[in-house]
Amino acid sequence: MVKVSRVEQNSIAEELGILPGTELLTVNGRPLSDFLDWEFLTADEELTIEARQPDGEEVIYELERLDGEPLGLSLQPPTVRRCANRCEFCFIEGLPPGLRKPLYIRDDDYRLSFAYGNFATLSNVKERDIERILEYRLSPLYVSVHATNHEARKVLLNNQRVPDIKAQLARLAAGGIQFHCQMVVVPGLNDGEVLEESLTDLWKMGDAVLSAAVVPVGLTQFSHLYTGKRMDRETARAILEQVEHWGKRALRERGETWVFGSDELYMLAERELPNAEHYGEFAQIENGVGAVTSLRMRVAAGLERITRRDGQRIGVVTGLAMAPLMEPLLARLREVSGANFELIVAENSLFGPTITTAGLLVGRDIMGALNGRHDLDIALIPAETINEDSVFLDDFTLDAVRAALPMPIFPSYDFIDVLASEAAGVAA
Ligand code: SF4
């Protein structure tokens, strides 16, 4: 059963009399267990839908709709499948106490992997799930492989009962499913030979593996489970060498880089980030692979849209990791806009100083960094620091942060989104 959360006005669903709270039970005789069933079973043109209205009345809707015509309803969010692993490096385990509850959910859900690109380990999928993936052709999936070596993977996921990922991927690949894979690398556990084995195995799967990302383990001061080594510059360099070796081979043989080090890996290795061609279609940008290069591209492409702001004083808040990369971008923005940009580096008070990512700064950090700065006309903060409800990880709202600071605050993804907008207050 799936439940309706919203019905659009003048939609087919409204015409039928479907209401928020209506339980959808079957489509063409097949029971619905989640949004995937609904999505795929309603792809037919002729539909018989069994439902239960909020007052308990059971109804049957029969309808025929033209190809692609939306039914006009939204479903309540699914119950997320929980993770059965206990990775020492788990970021959720490294969260500080006291945050809002949903942030602590350790999801490991192939459905969300397909629908939203969340990475899943596939360690909790059952035979029925495999059959669904194949039947509904849930492709591509985003898979946390970490290591194809079964023994190494058991250690990494801290789960003795984990299925063999090679066998799982092979079975799904035989059914036409493709994957974007990631390896979170823990020094001493899945770098070196284990990483080589993983890349070799994934490479042998041919077109089924669309891309592979290699990401360094990310720890906070709260990562209490972690007993492994920390990632240092030399280890990051060795991993990158391996990755780039495979990348060159892939470019020769497949015409694309295929395997990528994450931006953070390059930064830890103190290596210059590759240019845009390296990343092709930026398949794993949401995973921090090519995000900095993409930002540079967007800034370069948007410069001509920036309005003149001569003499305006603009504060740009960022985390420690991005600071050295920001200066050249701000220099270009300064040239084109005539404004004075000041880079303001904030430390992460919630996760501790080891977390230097701009997107994880919290409301308190922004306020601390900009407090009393009456000399600034506006300030830009990383847009990734707030969620869709404009709330920071520490529960401060954007409105509260704005109210506490003396200058207008603008969340920004790439500077251009704010600087090209008249609404963002052009200085007189
Ligand atoms: S798979 Fe590992 S890292 Fe991912 S949520 Fe589960 S325990 Fe955390």
Side-chain angles (χ1 to χ4, degrees):
M1 181 273 289
V2 292
K3 218 177 205 177
V4 175
S5 65
R6 208 169 63 87
V7 175
E8 281 166 32
Q9 280 186 345
N10 306 320
S11 64
I12 298 178
E14 188 185 58
E15 220 171 278
L16 290 171
I18 295 176
L19 301 165
T22 296
E23 293 172 358
L24 304 165
L25 307 172
T26 66
V27 171
N28 294 343
R30 287 188 59 178
L32 299 170
S33 63
D34 60 18
F35 69 98
L36 280 182
D37 288 331
W38 174 253
E39 193 91 356
F40 285 84
L41 297 176
T42 55
D44 290 348
E45 281 181 15
E46 286 180 25
L47 302 174
T48 302
I49 301 170
E50 287 182 82
R52 190 181 298 119
Q53 291 291 29
D55 63 4
E57 189 194 345
E58 304 233 337
V59 276
I60 296 177
Y61 303 112
E62 306 234 349
L63 66 138
E64 198 171 328
R65 58 178 183 150
L66 298 173
D67 198 20
E69 200 180 353
L71 290 172
L73 59 81
S74 312
L75 302 178
Q76 287 187 356
T79 310
V80 169
R81 290 240 188 149
R82 305 297 171 106
C83 172
N85 309 311
R86 194 114 169 94
C87 308
E88 288 192 0
F89 56 82
C90 180
F91 192 77
I92 308 288
E93 295 291 338
L95 289 176
L99 302 181
R100 51 185 181 274
K101 275 197 184 139
L103 293 171
Y104 296 103
I105 295 175
R106 290 186 299 140
D107 72 273
D108 194 4
D109 196 324
Y110 69 91
R111 303 168 308 168
L112 305 185
S113 172
F114 169 70
Y116 304 113
N118 294 11
F119 276 92
T121 64
L122 305 184
S123 48
N124 55 2
V125 298
K126 306 277 182 295
E127 179 56 27
R128 153 129 184 77
D129 300 315
I130 298 277
E131 284 167 11
R132 287 184 97 202
I133 294 171
L134 293 170
E135 181 190 351
Y136 293 160
R137 295 191 74 86
L138 303 184
S139 178
L141 291 177
Y142 290 76
V143 183
S144 283
V145 171
H146 301 329
T148 53
N149 181 293
H150 192 45
E151 292 309 310
R153 194 163 191 260
K154 281 194 222 167
V155 175
L156 283 156
L157 298 184
N158 210 356
N159 180 357
Q160 286 304 307
R161 288 151 42 125
V162 70
D164 182 350
I165 190 71
K166 260 167 55 178
Q168 284 183 306
L169 295 181
R171 177 157 174 217
L172 292 170
I177 307 299
Q178 293 179 298
F179 317 99
H180 291 287
C181 299
Q182 75 160 348
M183 265 76 63
V184 172
V185 175
V186 176
L189 279 187
N190 59 339
D191 54 350
E193 283 175 19
V194 177
L195 180 59
E196 196 61 21
E197 187 179 333
S198 300
L199 293 175
T200 306
D201 288 334
L202 296 179
W203 176 258
K204 282 189 194 154
M205 294 185 67
D207 290 347
V209 177
L210 294 168
S211 72
V214 178
V215 179
V217 62
L219 303 167
T220 78
Q221 59 181 342
F222 301 99
S223 301
H224 57 102
L225 292 177
Y226 193 72
T227 56
K229 287 190 216 153
R230 304 250 154 190
M231 182 71 69
D232 58 19
R233 188 182 65 168
E234 295 319 312
T235 314
R237 284 186 176 181
I239 294 170
L240 266 184
E241 243 173 65
Q242 222 173 332
V243 167
E244 286 176 347
H245 174 77
W246 273 97
K248 280 183 195 147
R249 175 175 175 185
L251 202 55
R252 273 197 316 274
E253 295 181 26
R254 284 196 191 186
E256 58 180 357
T257 312
W258 181 71
V259 59
F260 307 92
S262 71
D263 292 0
E264 204 188 339
L265 194 61
Y266 278 91
M267 288 184 218
L268 283 166
E270 295 174 15
R271 290 265 318 275
E272 184 50 45
L273 286 151
N275 56 21
E277 291 82 67
H278 177 84
Y279 295 105
E281 293 180 3
F282 289 83
Q284 295 214 26
I285 191 165
E286 299 292 335
N287 198 16
V289 176
V292 173
T293 299
S294 163
L295 172 68
R296 287 172 172 163
M297 281 166 60
R298 280 179 285 141
V299 170
L303 286 174
E304 62 189 29
R305 291 193 285 119
I306 290 180
T307 41
R308 286 299 296 181
R309 291 165 179 269
D310 294 290
Q312 195 176 29
R313 292 153 306 174
I314 302 177
V316 175
V317 179
T318 190
L320 199 59
M322 280 298 280
L325 305 164
M326 285 290 187
E327 283 296 359
L329 289 180
L330 296 189
R332 282 297 287 138
L333 294 173
R334 206 171 282 136
E335 250 172 59
V336 174
S337 69
N340 297 312
F341 288 86
E342 182 189 339
L343 193 61
I344 300 170
V345 180
E347 197 170 280
N348 197 308
S349 61
L350 188 63
F351 292 96
T354 56
I355 295 299
T356 54
T357 316
L360 289 176
L361 290 172
V362 296
R364 209 177 326 134
D365 305 331
I366 307 283
M367 288 191 287
L370 295 173
N371 188 27
R373 293 298 307 267
H374 295 275
D375 55 324
L376 295 173
D377 293 308
I378 64 170
L380 311 187
I381 64 169
E384 298 83 359
T385 51
I386 49 174
N387 67 11
E388 62 276 14
D389 300 320
S390 295
V391 179
F392 292 89
L393 274 174
D394 61 356
D395 277 352
F396 273 101
T397 62
L398 178 60
D399 283 347
V401 169
R402 281 179 162 152
L405 292 169
M407 77 295 286
I409 302 293
F410 295 96
S412 168
Y413 286 103
D414 56 16
F415 307 120
I416 306 296
D417 49 5
V418 174
L419 300 177
S421 153
E422 293 289 338
V426 180

